[in-house]
């Protein structure tokens, strides 16, 4: 299931082992060095002393710095406090968390929504709670790291099917004699592609399997009013074999995630989902921010249309470079193959005032390094066109 990072050679001491690991990553052009950003969460920031437009965040609707969302978070901190003081099992479930769960469930048309501290925790908790030694989990080979880790923690037998290959998935389902759980990203976060959600659901039904969908990059982006890829594919939101992980950390601009599922699955999560039982619940300002963001999205579905128009503008302006990914997805990958070239382009674009992200192994398979551009409803047409013009010019010179 894994794309492991480079292994360091055996070394004389623990510290020497760690040094050798970092040296090996650096020599391969794979060292991750986060940049320091000033100026908050809007689409403009100061990075390495330079004023930039941000094309690398997951704030697809521009809600992270929206006035109503900021005001709600500030008010919650003033009236309720900062931290939630414990998990819901330990110190009581704050009523605001129950309210957010009801609002999210209503928005998604689901029977229930159960909040986890992050999308990462929601995926891990779901797979570990539904899994077990009597289960087989069938996982797309390009699934997010949190799904891979959830598979590992589930103690289930894990089968990795070829990316988006429903024939391979079905062959494996036919062979399986155990209880089956299919799991897939609905939008693949570094490829910008959309899973065949209807096909996955059909296979799940035919083979009596659960279908777990990670809607992290589909919520607020795809489907009617931003209700996600399952909604776009016409999946009944009350289908009790489908479990959808919806994050509030990306298009909703806040933090945390919710597992949208039947009341029975919620019950199982609250008994067995260790990543949400043994972790502090979301802080009050985050809950309030997510509620305000959801209200803003519900009342302004044109935000999603505006995002789609911006995506079309950037993809159109980059046409000659053949961006990959689905037309309506705001993740726009430009393949370079070579990790050094991806990093050089990232640095040159930063000098010109555009913050973009180079994605390299082990996040993506060797030979498929890329620039990952993300579009927001907060970007102006001029900003999108300026980014595209600079990328076209720098790529021609590279
Ligand atoms: C596909 C996918 N799933 C889950 C997550 C984790 O979500 P969170 O950042 O809320 O932990 C991410 C974010 O990195 C993601 O891209």
């Amino acid at each position: 299931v894994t794309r492991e990072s480079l292994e360091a050679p055996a070394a004389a001491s623990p510290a020497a082992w760690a040094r050798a690991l970092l040296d090996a990553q650096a020599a391969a052009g794979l060292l991750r060095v986060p940049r320091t950003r000033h100026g908050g969460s809007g689409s403009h920031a100061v990075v390495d002393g330079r004023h930039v437009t941000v094309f690398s965040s997951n704030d697809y609707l521009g809600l992270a710095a929206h006035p109503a969302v900021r005001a709600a978070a500030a008010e919650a901190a003033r009236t309720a406090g900062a931290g939630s003081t414990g998990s819901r099992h330990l110190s009581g479930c704050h009523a605001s968390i129950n309210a957010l769960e009801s609002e999210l469930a209503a928005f998604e048309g689901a029977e229930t929504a159960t909040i986890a501290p992050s999308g990462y925790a929601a995926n891990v908790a779901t797979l570990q709670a539904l899994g077990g030694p009597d289960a087989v989990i069938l996982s797309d080979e390009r699934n997010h790291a949190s799904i891979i880790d959830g598979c590992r923690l589930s103690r289930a037998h894990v089968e990795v099917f070829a990316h988006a290959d429903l024939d391979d998935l079905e062959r494996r389902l036919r062979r399986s004699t155990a209880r089956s759980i299919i799991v897939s990203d609905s939008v693949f976060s570094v490829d910008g592609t959309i899973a065949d959600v209807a096909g996955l659901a059909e296979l799940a039904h035919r083979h009596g399997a659960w279908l777990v969908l990670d809607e992290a990059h589909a919520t607020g982006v795809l489907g009617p009013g931003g209700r996600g890829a399952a909604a776009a594919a016409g999946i009944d939101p009350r289908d009790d074999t489908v479990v959808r992980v919806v994050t509030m950390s990306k298009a909703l601009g806040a933090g945390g995630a919710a597992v949208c599922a039947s009341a029975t699955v919620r019950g199982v999560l609250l008994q067995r989902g260790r990543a949400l039982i043994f972790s502090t619940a979301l802080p009050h300002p985050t809950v309030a921010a997510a509620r305000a963001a959801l209200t803003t999205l519900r009342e302004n579905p044109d935000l999603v249309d505006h995002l789609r128009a911006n995506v079309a503008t950037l993809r159109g302006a980059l046409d000659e470079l053949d961006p990959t990914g689905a037309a309506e997805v705001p993740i726009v990958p430009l393949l370079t193959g070579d990790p050094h070239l991806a990093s050089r382009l990232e640095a040159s674009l930063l000098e010109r005032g555009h913050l973009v992200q180079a994605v390299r192994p082990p996040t993506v398979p060797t030979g498929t390094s890329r620039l990952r551009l993300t579009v927001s409803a907060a970007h102006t047409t001029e900003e999108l066109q300026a980014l595209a013009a600079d990328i076209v010019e720098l790529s021609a010179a590279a």
Side-chain angles (χ1 to χ4, degrees):
V1 191
T2 58
R3 294 185 285 271
E4 297 295 355
S5 49
L6 299 178
E7 295 298 334
S13 72
W17 173 88
R19 191 70 260 155
L21 183 116
L22 294 176
D23 289 347
Q25 295 278 120
L30 300 177
L31 200 62
R32 293 170 160 130
V33 186
R35 300 181 194 280
T36 302
R37 167 175 167 169
H38 297 272
S41 296
S43 59
H44 298 114
V46 177
V47 172
D48 291 354
R50 201 172 290 278
H51 287 268
V52 294
T53 309
V54 178
F55 293 101
S56 58
S57 97
N58 300 317
D59 182 29
Y60 301 122
L61 298 175
L63 291 174
H66 189 286
V69 175
R70 299 158 84 128
E75 180 62 11
R78 212 180 55 74
T79 55
S84 64
T85 76
S87 93
R88 71 171 82 204
H89 295 273
L90 186 70
S91 49
C93 183
H94 294 284
S96 57
I97 289 190
N98 286 333
L100 173 56
E101 289 183 337
S102 301
E103 289 156 10
L104 269 171
F107 178 75
E108 293 288 348
E111 191 179 356
T112 69
T114 304
I115 290 179
S118 67
Y120 187 99
N123 279 333
V124 167
T126 301
L127 293 170
Q128 174 261 320
L130 293 181
D134 62 327
V136 58
I137 299 182
L138 301 111
S139 176
D140 186 290
E141 70 178 324
R142 302 234 184 122
N143 277 341
H144 187 256
S146 53
I147 294 179
I148 295 171
D149 294 354
C151 287
R152 289 176 176 159
L153 279 175
S154 71
R155 296 180 301 138
H157 172 72
V158 179
E159 296 227 3
V160 177
F161 62 91
H163 175 54
D165 186 340
L166 296 193
D167 294 332
D168 184 31
L169 172 59
E170 180 153 37
R171 266 193 302 279
R172 292 170 189 273
L173 280 164
R174 273 208 217 100
R175 274 206 311 264
S176 164
T177 50
R179 188 164 80 68
S180 302
I181 302 165
I182 302 168
V183 58
S184 179
D185 286 5
S186 62
V187 168
F188 289 89
S189 58
V190 288
D191 294 326
T193 49
I194 306 172
D196 177 355
V197 173
L200 290 168
E202 201 269 316
L203 280 181
H205 285 143
R206 191 135 41 90
H207 292 271
W210 295 102
L211 172 60
V212 177
L213 285 174
D214 178 357
E215 297 261 40
H217 296 276
T219 302
V221 171
L222 298 182
R227 283 168 175 77
I235 306 296
D236 176 359
R238 297 262 169 163
D239 182 331
D240 65 2
T241 63
V242 179
V243 176
R244 290 173 294 146
V245 173
V246 165
T247 60
M248 284 101 69
S249 51
K250 307 203 187 302
L252 290 177
V259 184
C260 291
S262 67
T264 317
V265 167
R266 174 179 168 85
V268 173
L269 283 169
L270 292 180
Q271 302 313 306
R272 276 168 53 105
R274 295 167 65 85
L276 58 90
I277 297 172
F278 295 105
S279 189
T280 301
L282 285 182
H284 301 293
T286 307
V287 174
R291 293 181 71 186
L294 188 63
T295 304
T296 306
L297 171 58
R298 212 176 35 232
E299 291 174 356
N300 302 278
D302 52 310
L303 267 177
V304 181
D305 302 330
H306 187 51
L307 171 64
R308 286 179 196 156
N310 276 358
V311 173
T313 299
L314 184 66
R315 285 187 176 275
L318 289 170
D319 202 30
E320 65 188 87
L321 296 180
D322 281 333
T324 51
E328 62 271 51
V329 170
I331 299 162
V332 182
L334 289 171
L335 290 181
T336 61
D338 175 19
H340 299 280
L341 175 56
S343 297
R344 275 203 309 278
L345 283 171
E346 177 190 293
S348 306
L349 286 164
L350 184 67
E351 274 172 27
R352 294 183 179 206
H354 315 286
L355 182 64
V356 306
Q357 183 64 48
V359 186
R360 302 160 299 166
T363 306
V364 292
T366 304
T368 70
S369 288
R370 65 200 65 186
L371 286 184
R372 176 182 184 268
L373 318 172
T374 56
V375 180
S376 167
H379 290 136
T380 64
T381 305
E382 293 70 36
E383 287 167 348
L384 295 163
Q385 278 167 347
L387 169 69
D390 280 335
I391 292 178
V392 168
E393 188 190 319
L394 289 167
S395 302

